[in-house]
Amino acid sequence: MSRRLVVAGNWKMNKTAAEGKALVEELKTRVAAVAPEVEIVVCPPFTTLGAVVEAAAGSRIRVGAQNVHWAPNGAFTGEISAEMLKTSGVEYVIIGHSERRQYFGETNATVNQRLKAALAAGLKPIVCIGESLEEREGGRTEAVLAAQLEGGLADLTPEMMQQVVLAYEPVWAIGTGRTATPEMAEATHAFIRGTLERLFGAAVAAGVVVQYGGSMKPGNARELVAQADIDGGLIGGAALKADSFAELIEQAALGHCGK
Ligand code: 13P
């Protein structure tokens, strides 16, 4: 298995700077023994990034933001540019999370703009895709995912695509405790990889890390990551405590090394 395992915690709108620092301090010791090839990322809110970058310095923990604007600077009240993130010591950035799409009007077109800005600044994007319950039940999952990939990844070269991590997060599984079964998730991940092959060629598709997200917990991480096309996780609730996140990472590492 040549693909990396990337486990990222999306803290969403949780944790003050002091709370984030404390979590990372604890996490650092808890994950010290995890296999070094496992990439561990935490994605705090903007105001907590500085404290977390400082706390994670010199450790194996990488830091990501939860969004980025496409313009380099200017009159965009409330937004943050890729350069601002990069120069703050941030390495990753989540783009197009379903909560951004659902509550803040983000579209495949704005995902694409943000993605290009992130890549140009040398950030590693984690691009989120996923269908709603209504779309799954209506048999539209593949059409929705294909449109998200075609629109969100538009104009990217194969070289650019190699820098991108994808996160498949079925919207109906986020924060609901209702996880996709490993078989169901794998079938969808295989479809995503097939679509990447159509868009970018077999070699690129084989190398892209595709995470699963949606009620991933220590108890189901191993079985999910053991699936052929699942290369890690984007974790919400279970990433908010060092204990559960560390245990989840250990379980995911076990699932990965069995492949
Ligand atoms: P939960 O793990 O809380 O379901 O959230 C998943 C998610 O949205 C991560 O981005």
Side-chain angles (χ1 to χ4, degrees):
M1 173 55 60
S2 56
R3 282 190 298 275
R4 291 175 303 142
L5 174 64
V6 183
V7 183
N10 174 9
W11 295 1
K12 307 191 179 183
M13 198 172 74
N14 294 290
K15 308 283 180 197
T16 62
E19 290 164 350
K21 180 177 185 298
L23 172 46
V24 169
E25 294 295 355
E26 199 183 334
L27 191 63
K28 277 199 292 199
T29 17
R30 281 294 316 263
V31 298
V34 174
E37 59 271 20
V38 182
E39 181 103 331
I40 302 170
V41 188
V42 295
C43 302
F46 289 130
T47 49
T48 301
L49 277 172
V52 165
V53 165
E54 215 175 286
S59 83
R60 60 179 301 172
I61 297 171
R62 307 274 166 259
V63 183
Q66 298 176 17
N67 197 9
V68 62
H69 195 262
W70 51 84
N73 51 52
F76 299 102
T77 302
E79 294 295 323
I80 303 283
S81 77
E83 192 197 354
M84 290 169 187
L85 294 177
K86 185 74 182 170
T87 54
S88 302
V90 169
E91 203 173 317
Y92 281 84
V93 60
I94 298 171
I95 295 176
H97 191 278
S98 64
E99 288 149 17
R100 302 287 325 161
R101 296 177 189 253
Q102 192 177 345
Y103 305 128
F104 303 101
E106 292 197 16
T107 62
N108 294 330
T110 59
V111 166
N112 186 244
Q113 286 179 285
R114 293 177 201 276
L115 173 58
K116 287 173 182 165
L119 286 170
L123 293 167
K124 296 175 184 164
I126 300 177
V127 176
C128 302
I129 57 172
E131 81 287 0
S132 66
L133 184 60
E134 194 193 348
E135 288 161 345
R136 177 158 286 266
E137 289 179 343
R140 298 199 301 281
T141 299
E142 294 191 351
V144 168
L145 294 174
Q148 289 174 339
L149 290 168
E150 283 161 14
L153 307 175
D155 311 320
L156 260 62
T157 63
E159 291 68 34
M160 288 159 91
M161 191 59 214
Q162 286 169 341
Q163 312 304 317
V164 177
V165 171
L166 287 178
Y168 167 59
E169 301 203 305
V171 177
W172 46 271
I174 296 177
T176 58
R178 189 177 160 184
T179 331
T181 63
E183 295 72 26
M184 190 196 276
E186 169 57 21
T188 312
H189 277 244
F191 170 78
I192 291 166
R193 207 170 298 284
T195 305
L196 291 176
E197 191 171 330
R198 172 166 65 78
L199 297 174
F200 298 99
V204 172
V208 175
V209 169
V210 186
Q211 302 173 315
Y212 170 81
S215 297
M216 200 190 248
K217 303 271 182 294
N220 59 21
R222 181 175 181 166
E223 211 187 343
L224 283 161
V225 171
Q227 306 299 313
D229 288 292
I230 302 183
D231 313 310
L234 185 57
I235 324 299
L240 294 176
K241 288 203 166 79
D243 264 352
S244 60
F245 193 43
E247 203 184 321
L248 189 155
I249 292 164
E250 286 159 9
Q251 290 299 318
L254 289 173
H256 189 68
C257 76
K259 294 205 258 201

